[in-house]
């Protein structure tokens, strides 16, 4: 599955959150507000359970919270940036998290999850790409930057 198929302009946002919990709730709200996830409470419960096991802050200022819901037929992503950073995310490398990409897949869509995670890793592996994404000051600008960065990977 292509990364841009799982993303949409209404599911990207420059976050207002100053904490991990606030960031997670903002992304869940994007997914429910866009109508791609019906049960926000269930998604929040699953995300919190996953975070309790181990932080999804994977390093380099990136976090990838994720959950599987049986009613999800096509994987979706909500992506938020925090130029100031989310210091309490507890990333595995101790870094402040600036990019949070929440992946929600169906229970039988493990391959899609791996493909999306791989696409995110390719997109954000270069510090310059992360910096360009973080320089976006509005959600519309963030969407355009993500499209441009994704297109650059294909060139």
């Amino acid at each position: 599955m292509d990364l841009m198929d799982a993303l949409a302009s209404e599911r990207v946002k420059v976050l207002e959150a100053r904490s991990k919990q606030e960031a997670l709730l903002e992304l869940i709200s994007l997914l429910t507000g866009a109508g791609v996830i019906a049960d926000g409470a269930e998604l929040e419960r699953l995300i919190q359970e996953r975070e309790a096991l181990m932080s999804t802050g994977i390093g380099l200022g990136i976090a990838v919270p994720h959950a599987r819901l049986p009613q999800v037929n096509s994987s979706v992503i909500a992506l938020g940036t925090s130029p100031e950073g989310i210091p309490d995310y507890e990333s595995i490398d101790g870094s402040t998290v600036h990019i949070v990409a929440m992946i929600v897949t169906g229970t039988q869509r493990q391959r899609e999850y791996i493909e999306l995670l791989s696409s995110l890793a390719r997109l954000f592996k270069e510090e310059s790409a992360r910096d360009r994404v973080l320089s976006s000051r509005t959600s519309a600008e963030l969407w355009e930057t993500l499209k441009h960065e994704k297109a650059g990977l294909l060139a």
Side-chain angles (χ1 to χ4, degrees):
M1 171 173 229
D2 183 78
L3 179 64
M4 297 312 281
D5 291 338
L7 267 172
S9 61
E10 69 272 11
R11 297 193 309 268
V12 299
K13 183 179 184 184
V14 177
L15 299 170
E16 297 172 19
R18 297 292 177 253
S19 71
K20 177 180 182 176
Q21 180 64 19
E22 290 171 352
L24 295 173
L25 291 175
E26 273 191 71
L27 294 176
I28 290 168
S29 179
L30 287 178
L31 292 167
T32 57
V36 294
I37 300 296
D39 191 345
E42 176 66 2
L43 177 57
E44 181 182 356
R45 184 185 68 75
L46 292 171
I47 291 289
Q48 296 299 340
E49 283 179 5
R50 175 62 186 87
E51 291 296 327
L53 291 173
M54 181 176 161
S55 175
T56 57
I58 61 172
L60 300 176
I62 301 167
V64 188
H66 53 278
R68 293 187 192 153
L69 292 169
Q71 65 271 30
V72 173
N73 294 320
S74 183
S75 299
V76 293
I77 296 175
L79 188 141
T81 60
S82 174
E84 297 81 23
I86 303 167
D88 71 339
Y89 209 100
E90 303 172 324
S91 185
I92 60 171
D93 67 353
S95 66
T96 298
V97 167
H98 293 275
I99 299 169
V100 185
M102 181 177 287
I103 302 174
V104 182
T105 62
T107 53
Q108 301 300 314
R109 299 192 173 275
Q110 180 66 15
R111 180 180 174 158
E112 279 182 16
Y113 169 73
I114 298 297
E115 289 171 356
L116 291 171
L117 190 58
S118 176
S119 291
L120 286 166
R122 280 192 306 278
L123 181 65
F124 294 125
K125 74 177 181 178
E126 299 296 330
E127 184 176 6
S128 59
R130 294 190 303 274
D131 288 345
R132 284 188 294 274
V133 166
L134 287 172
S135 71
S136 300
R137 295 295 171 212
T138 67
S139 298
E141 189 178 326
L142 175 57
W143 176 244
E144 291 304 316
T145 303
L146 287 167
K147 289 191 316 186
H148 176 77
E149 290 299 321
K150 178 62 173 144
L153 287 176
L154 302 175

